[in-house]
Amino acid sequence: MKAKVRLYVDHPLGAGQSVPLSREQAHYLFGVMRLIAGDPVALFNGRDGEWLTTVAEAGKRGGLLDCVEQSRPLMPPPDLWLLFAPIKKARTDFIVEKAVEMGAARIIPVQTDFTNSERIRQDRLQAHAVEAAEQCGGTFVPEVTDLHRLDRLLADWPEGRQLMFCDEAEAGAALTLEGAEPGPWAILIGPEGGFSDAERKRLLAQPFARAVSLGPRILRADTAAVAALTLWQVALGDWK
């Protein structure tokens, strides 16, 4: 029995567990996907792995799924944060979606000196993270935090976490992750206008920060996020 629909639920999953559906979930499964009683559905909640379930009750305003067996264990990503300055709405959505697909454990929008957006819809970005996990087969959903000021993050930086600082001013420089040690890391992508001189100076002075070049060309912020995640995953992550 193979499920053709995969859905995120905020509910415990386990042997003998029944999972109630919201009105929106019921509409999607029974109104859009045309599932009926007995049909299989794959569920995950970001904590208990993926579970094969079957439709026990199907209604227009709700429904019930019964857990049958665990089909995949929880597969958490490496301890990697992505820090990025929000840009235009669709491109910010793209960064969040690709960060989930590529294995970020936490996604942190940051306010820099040249960040164009002074606010975000954290709930909407978290929903995009859920949708990305549903589509890519992930069993873990990273937290998307609210907007943080970069200077405050640096002032309260957690001990033992290293920072890969991607600076467009270093395009073409021979700055790589060679010799870097695995462990807790974060990647910082700047805004479309780049980092200010004060931010660059402060970042380069941090003992936990490491400047890395993303190649010979200056990349758009959304492209830089994908490139940086790829570089880190190949060097230190779970792609090796």
Side-chain angles (χ1 to χ4, degrees), residues 5-126:
V5 178
R6 189 168 189 270
L7 191 66
Y8 172 86
V9 293
D10 186 14
H11 193 279
L13 299 174
Q17 183 76 53
S18 293
V19 182
L21 298 172
S22 67
R23 184 169 184 168
E24 292 75 16
Q25 291 169 333
H27 171 72
Y28 172 68
L29 292 181
F30 312 133
V32 179
M33 300 306 296
R34 304 294 183 186
L35 300 188
I36 60 174
D39 282 345
V41 180
L43 296 184
F44 72 106
N45 60 8
R47 305 182 300 274
D48 300 317
E50 180 184 276
W51 280 77
L52 176 66
T53 70
T54 56
V55 177
E57 298 178 12
K60 292 182 179 180
R61 299 184 178 182
L64 197 66
L65 305 179
D66 288 341
C67 290
V68 177
E69 61 183 5
Q70 189 183 59
S71 49
R72 296 173 64 193
L74 178 66
M75 295 183 294
D79 190 358
L80 175 66
W81 298 354
L82 175 67
L83 285 62
F84 74 99
I87 45 180
K88 293 179 181 178
K89 179 180 176 182
R91 290 167 62 190
T92 293
D93 294 347
F94 175 89
I95 290 175
V96 169
E97 292 165 4
K98 299 312 165 189
V100 175
E101 293 177 22
M102 301 185 73
R106 195 173 189 222
I107 303 170
I108 306 176
V110 294
Q111 178 77 43
T112 69
D113 289 346
F114 297 153
T115 300
N116 291 329
S117 177
E118 296 183 355
R119 65 180 64 183
I120 62 166
R121 279 281 307 278
Q122 184 274 337
D123 58 337
R124 190 178 62 82
L125 293 180
Q126 188 67 62

Side-chain angles (χ1 to χ4, degrees), residues 150-151 153-157 161 163 165 198-211:
L150 178 60
D151 57 349
L153 274 176
L154 294 177
D156 195 31
W157 194 255
R161 184 171 298 276
L163 177 65
F165 163 42
E199 287 172 333
R200 186 175 291 108
K201 183 177 179 180
R202 182 173 186 178
L203 283 161
L204 293 174
Q206 302 299 327
F208 54 79
R210 179 172 180 144

